[in-house]
Amino acid sequence: ENIKNGAWDAFVLFYYAQVLGLDGSLIALALGLILITDALVDPYVGTLSDSLRNAPLGRRHTLMLLATVPFGIGFSGVFSPPEGLTQWGLFAWLLGFGVLARVGISFYTVPAFAVGVELTRDPRERALVMALRNIGASAGMLLVPIVAFRRFFVPTAEFPRGQLNPEPYSGFGLALTTIALAAMLVAAFGTRARIREVEALEAGRAPDPGQPGSSLRNLARELATALRVTPNVRRVLAVSFLVFIINSTITTLTLYLATYFWRLGPAQTEQLLVAGTIGMFCGLVTAWWVAGRVEKKAMMVGAILGYFGCGLLSIGLPLAGLAPAAASVALGLLVVGLRLVGGLCYGWYLVAAGTVTFDVSDEHEVNTRRPQQGLVMSFVFLGLQAASAVAGVLAGIFLDLIEFPRGIPVEQMPVDKVDALALFVCAVIVTGAALLVVVIRGFDVSAAKQRRINERLVELRAGR
């Protein structure tokens, strides 16, 4: 999932706009249509995974393994459009293979998120599970810039900044697809035995006559019920969307900022993309210790403000003239250092937010008396997918509005256009972070409440 996210957010907009020359408005339209598809598919996958019975590999793992085929074809195809396509041909290519890739990953990741909930009910083990899962995710994100700039986007005489060279993108997409598919297979087969035990225990529970199927009508009813019966589910969706839209905006435009705003060289651009992931890895390793000493909501608020604050400083200081000059080694060190500290905070946030989401899925199971981890996890994934697409739509529209030039040397890029892009990122960070703090403070996820929920779950599984 994070190999896809890292490559999609950092390279797709840049590749189609700056390298292939597709109009920003058409990119925005394609990403908007992909967003609508995501909005329909993600909750459907969640309810399908919850209600699937008698599947050959279990209700989670059957979908996870089937998803590898459309994802592999779609993700590699996004980076391999044939030469000579018109504007509308490029639009159709991005739309078709983009939908295939994102629908494919939905059928994998939504059940995989539910697997994470079902592995353990112990609060401290859940923090450890979240840390370990995100350490794996950070490894995936770390691979993207390393593979990109060490193997494919190497400087040449014609393209001193290798990301502007159209030739390596096809091989880049194929390499990442191969790594991602291998990871999907390892995760699916590695967790199958444990989840079969969980499903065997649930098989002993008396069947619920109200258990819905996976039709679109039942899907709409389940979504409405989840949002009404468990208010924390609404907050999960809101928090996921806000966090990921800010994060996706930063990631989507990082290559623009590195190329035109900070004017970093190839080595520093790679360091910039790697630094956040290394910081996040350090945060994930230490988060389990922090989570045992800090209340979950306080950890979420403090960590996410630290992350977005570092991102804001890396752009705001140069805009205010309080940072070293563009293209200097000193500015590169400052930006990379802020990205490293921000990644540390983001790692802490991911673990805190993940444990809260696990708790909310348990709360919803108690409220409805049915295991619906897939449905609740689909809200997280819907927020992630929607935010990524919305960030791309907004960025594409904004690039067209300011008439951001294409195909000109970095040194000739108008300063006012670059500053406008930097101010746009700052505005998204400030607005989203303010809304995010308000939503997080509304969560009702105390430790005492979770103990009561765990007791009730034991009773439900015992048939009482």
Side-chain angles (χ1 to χ4, degrees):
E1 167 62 16
N2 279 275
I3 288 175
K4 187 274 295 177
N5 287 343
W8 185 280
D9 291 344
F11 289 96
V12 167
L13 176 65
F14 189 90
Y15 175 49
Y16 275 84
Q18 296 303 118
V19 179
L20 299 179
L22 182 59
D23 287 342
S25 56
L26 288 180
I27 296 175
L29 178 59
L31 296 179
L33 293 173
I34 292 171
L35 165 62
I36 293 171
T37 306
D38 280 342
L40 295 174
V41 169
D42 293 340
Y44 175 78
V45 175
T47 57
L48 176 63
S49 178
D50 287 333
S51 60
L52 199 60
R53 294 292 179 266
N54 301 319
L57 298 175
R59 66 173 186 266
R60 311 294 186 201
H61 289 77
T62 299
L63 298 179
M64 291 166 66
L65 290 167
L66 288 175
T68 57
V69 176
F71 169 74
I73 295 171
F75 190 58
S76 59
V78 164
F79 291 100
S80 305
E83 294 182 7
L85 290 179
T86 64
Q87 287 282 303
W88 283 104
L90 279 173
F91 163 80
W93 188 275
L94 173 59
L95 176 62
F97 282 94
V99 165
L100 196 60
R102 310 234 351 187
V103 168
I105 203 66
S106 293
F107 274 86
Y108 172 80
T109 306
V110 173
F113 276 19
V115 166
V117 179
E118 294 171 335
L119 285 175
T120 178
R121 304 282 175 183
D122 180 81
R124 285 184 62 79
E125 282 188 352
R126 280 188 164 175
L128 181 59
V129 167
M130 281 304 303
L132 292 171
R133 186 171 71 179
N134 283 292
I135 286 170
S138 66
M141 293 179 68
L142 190 62
L143 274 173
V144 173
I146 291 176
V147 169
F149 290 99
R150 296 290 178 92
R151 175 64 181 86
F152 293 98
F153 304 125
V154 294
T156 64
E158 186 179 359
F159 296 100
R161 287 175 169 81
Q163 63 265 30
L164 293 169
N165 184 358
E167 293 299 325
Y169 276 91
S170 177
F172 169 67
L174 185 59
L176 291 185
T177 300
T178 303
I179 297 169
L181 289 174
M184 293 165 80
L185 294 173
V186 168
F189 285 111
T191 56
R192 181 169 169 247
R194 167 62 182 160
I195 300 306
R196 283 176 68 89
E197 294 175 4
V198 173
E199 292 180 353
L201 289 173
E202 291 179 351
R205 181 190 296 186
D208 182 356
Q211 176 71 38
S214 56
S215 69
L216 291 178
R217 179 185 299 176
N218 286 328
L219 168 61
R221 186 185 304 119
E222 288 295 291
L223 291 175
T225 299
L227 295 173
R228 185 186 71 254
V229 170
T230 309
N232 276 336
V233 171
R234 299 196 296 267
R235 299 182 184 104
V236 165
L237 178 59
V239 165
S240 298
F241 180 75
L242 288 170
V243 168
F244 290 125
I245 195 171
I246 304 171
N247 195 37
S248 293
T249 300
I250 294 172
T251 307
T252 298
L253 295 175
T254 287
L255 210 53
Y256 277 87
L257 295 173
T259 305
Y260 302 111
F261 181 63
W262 298 309
R263 296 192 181 184
L264 304 180
Q268 285 189 313
T269 300
E270 180 189 345
Q271 291 166 11
L272 176 68
L273 296 177
V274 167
T277 305
I278 292 175
M280 183 173 69
F281 178 83
C282 296
L284 294 169
V285 170
T286 57
W288 188 59
W289 180 85
V290 176
R293 289 158 177 80
V294 180
E295 192 269 332
K296 283 177 286 192
K297 287 200 299 184
M299 185 175 173
M300 286 177 69
V301 171
I304 204 63
L305 289 181
Y307 171 59
F308 291 139
C310 288
L312 194 61
L313 286 173
S314 68
I315 302 170
L317 291 177
L319 279 174
L322 301 175
S328 67
V329 174
L331 178 62
L333 291 173
L334 173 65
V335 173
V336 169
L338 286 170
R339 185 62 66 95
L340 187 69
V341 175
L344 175 74
C345 295
Y346 192 57
W348 290 345
Y349 167 79
L350 286 174
V351 172
T355 55
V356 165
T357 305
F358 285 1
D359 292 349
V360 171
S361 69
D362 286 343
E363 178 186 1
H364 190 58
E365 180 176 350
V366 167
N367 290 345
T368 61
R369 300 185 182 182
R370 292 196 304 271
Q372 292 191 303
Q373 288 80 11
L375 177 66
V376 175
M377 292 301 108
S378 74
F379 281 99
V380 178
F381 193 60
L382 174 60
L384 188 158
Q385 295 275 62
S388 177
V390 168
V393 169
L394 292 177
I397 292 173
F398 189 77
L399 290 172
D400 263 13
L401 286 176
I402 65 174
E403 298 179 342
F404 198 84
R406 300 186 186 93
I408 66 174
V410 171
E411 294 75 16
Q412 297 177 18
M413 184 65 68
V415 175
D416 60 325
K417 304 293 186 183
V418 178
D419 287 351
L421 190 64
L423 285 169
F424 169 73
V425 178
C426 290
V428 172
I429 292 174
V430 172
T431 304
L435 293 172
L436 189 61
V437 171
V438 173
V439 177
I440 292 175
R441 288 174 63 87
F443 268 113
D444 178 18
V445 287
S446 68
K449 178 180 179 180
Q450 187 59 31
R451 283 193 295 271
R452 293 194 300 271
I453 288 172
N454 286 342
E455 291 169 0
R456 181 63 179 139
L457 286 173
V458 171
E459 294 175 356
L460 284 173
R461 281 165 171 71
R464 297 196 302 273

